């Protein structure tokens, strides 16, 4: 599944550290990279990470995107990387908090810092799944979901479904009981997670509909049907998590949002594999212009070219 063991890289001199204060007072930490001097200004971009992936994994891509003319903010969710304060065992974060608190605050921070009316979200996996939880969803001009889906077990291929179900419904609860946190690292699911995050992650993937599970019977906090932000989902043919079925499950939660879905075949881009995580690796820079095209709102043809 997830393994973000890419060698960490640090932002270059043209960056700011960002302290993002959430509505409940929690402090998140990120990096802000201003667009390169002399470039035409595009909309600011918020990079929202995948579950259990630290912000440093995205910094090379963030620097590249800033060179294309975008102000870029990347951050760690509460309980992850620079946004973990104290012991992981004592962190009471939930997956719902990552949307309802963390993404909301990150959007507001980027809007305030840039003075823009709207921003674009590049959401990797979980980062592209939670727009229906955001009361400020209307400030998002476009959502680019990279390997974004619900991860619904029933829409996965049978062999991987069994592996995912075993890991998230059996191994993680046992780890929570023994360690007090989600021991995701030992089963290849990225950084260890706060218990509440790991518990909800397993529940949502089992139920389907992902973030809608956070707002059942809470109509005042459920914005899924109101979202009209155009959504582009890019996923790979060899991704065991973001499959055609799990992507469709995600889009079914956003009935009013215009959408386009593009499934990439690695060999058509000169790559042996893409999978769930490799989009942002330096070795896969051939995919970065495709993501930038989606950020600009260009129509992407099935073979990865643009129209208009």
């Amino acid at each position: 599944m997830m393994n973000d063991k890419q060698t960490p890289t640090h932002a270059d001199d043209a960056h700011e550290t960002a302290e993002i204060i959430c509505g409940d007072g929690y402090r998140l930490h990120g990096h802000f990279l201003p667009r390169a001097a002399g470039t035409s200004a595009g909309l600011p971009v918020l990079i929202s990470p995948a579950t259990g992936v630290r912000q440093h994994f995205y910094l090379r891509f963030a620097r590249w995107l800033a060179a294309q003319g975008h102000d870029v903010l990347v951050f760690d969710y509460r309980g992850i990387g620079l946004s973990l304060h104290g012991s992981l065992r004592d962190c009471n974060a939930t997956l719902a908090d990552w949307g309802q608190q963390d993404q909301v605050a990150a959007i507001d921070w980027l809007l305030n810092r840039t003075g823009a009316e709207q921003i674009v979200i590049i959401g990797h996996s979980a980062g592209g799944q939670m727009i229906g939880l955001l009361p400020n969803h209307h400030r998002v001009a476009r959502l680019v979901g990279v390997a974004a889906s619900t991860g619904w077990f029933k829409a996965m291929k049978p062999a991987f479904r069994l592996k995912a179900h075993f890991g998230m419904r059996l191994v993680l609860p046992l780890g929570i009981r023994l360690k007090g946190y989600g021991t995701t690292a030992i089963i290849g699911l990225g950084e260890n997670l706060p218990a509440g995050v790991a518990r909800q992650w397993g529940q949502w993937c089992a139920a389907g509909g992902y973030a809608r599970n956070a707002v059942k019977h809470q109509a005042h906090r459920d914005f899924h049907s109101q979202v009209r932000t155009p959504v582009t989902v890019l996923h790979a043919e060899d991704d065991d998590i973001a499959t055609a079925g799990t992507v469709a499950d995600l889009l079914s939660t956003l009935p009013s949002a215009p959408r386009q879905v593009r499934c990439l075949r690695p060999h058509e881009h000169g790559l042996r594999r893409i999978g769930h995580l490799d989009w942002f690796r330096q070795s896969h820079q051939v995919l970065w212009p495709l993501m930038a095209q989606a950020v600009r709102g260009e129509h992407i043809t099935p073979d990865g070219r643009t129209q208009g």
Side-chain angles (χ1 to χ4, degrees), residues 29 33-34 55-56 69 74 83 121 133 160 167 177 209 221 226 228 231 233 247 271 280 295:
H29 292 281
L33 296 90
Q55 63 181 288
H56 289 87
V74 61
S83 298
I121 293 179
L133 300 181
F160 192 80
R177 180 175 297 181
R221 305 185 76 181
Q226 300 175 31
R228 288 173 172 76
V231 178
V233 176
V247 169
L271 300 169
F280 298 93
V295 165

Side-chain angles (χ1 to χ4, degrees), residues 20 85 87 95 104 176 194 197 215 239 245 248 256 264 282 301 303:
I20 303 163
H85 309 303
S87 168
L95 193 54
V104 170
I176 292 170
V197 172
V215 287
D239 189 339
S256 301
L264 274 59
Q282 193 169 15
T301 64
D303 61 0

Side-chain angles (χ1 to χ4, degrees), residues 62-145:
R63 286 202 300 269
W64 178 87
L65 199 59
Q68 312 309 306
H70 299 277
D71 293 323
V72 183
L73 174 65
V74 61
F75 69 105
D76 286 323
Y77 301 115
R78 63 185 65 200
I80 299 293
L82 299 178
S83 298
L84 172 62
H85 309 303
S87 168
L88 184 60
R89 179 191 293 269
D90 296 328
C91 181
N92 61 2
T94 66
L95 193 54
D97 289 335
W98 286 6
Q100 293 169 326
Q101 294 287 342
D102 299 0
Q103 281 196 7
V104 170
I107 291 170
D108 286 345
W109 190 98
L110 186 55
L111 289 167
N112 290 333
R113 174 62 180 78
T114 62
E117 290 297 319
Q118 289 185 307
I119 59 96
V120 176
I121 293 179
I122 293 182
H124 184 203
S125 192
Q129 297 164 338
M130 293 187 279
I131 191 170
L133 300 181
L134 313 182
N136 55 356
H137 60 85
H138 60 285
R139 305 300 297 274
V140 182
R142 287 181 285 279
L143 169 63
V144 181

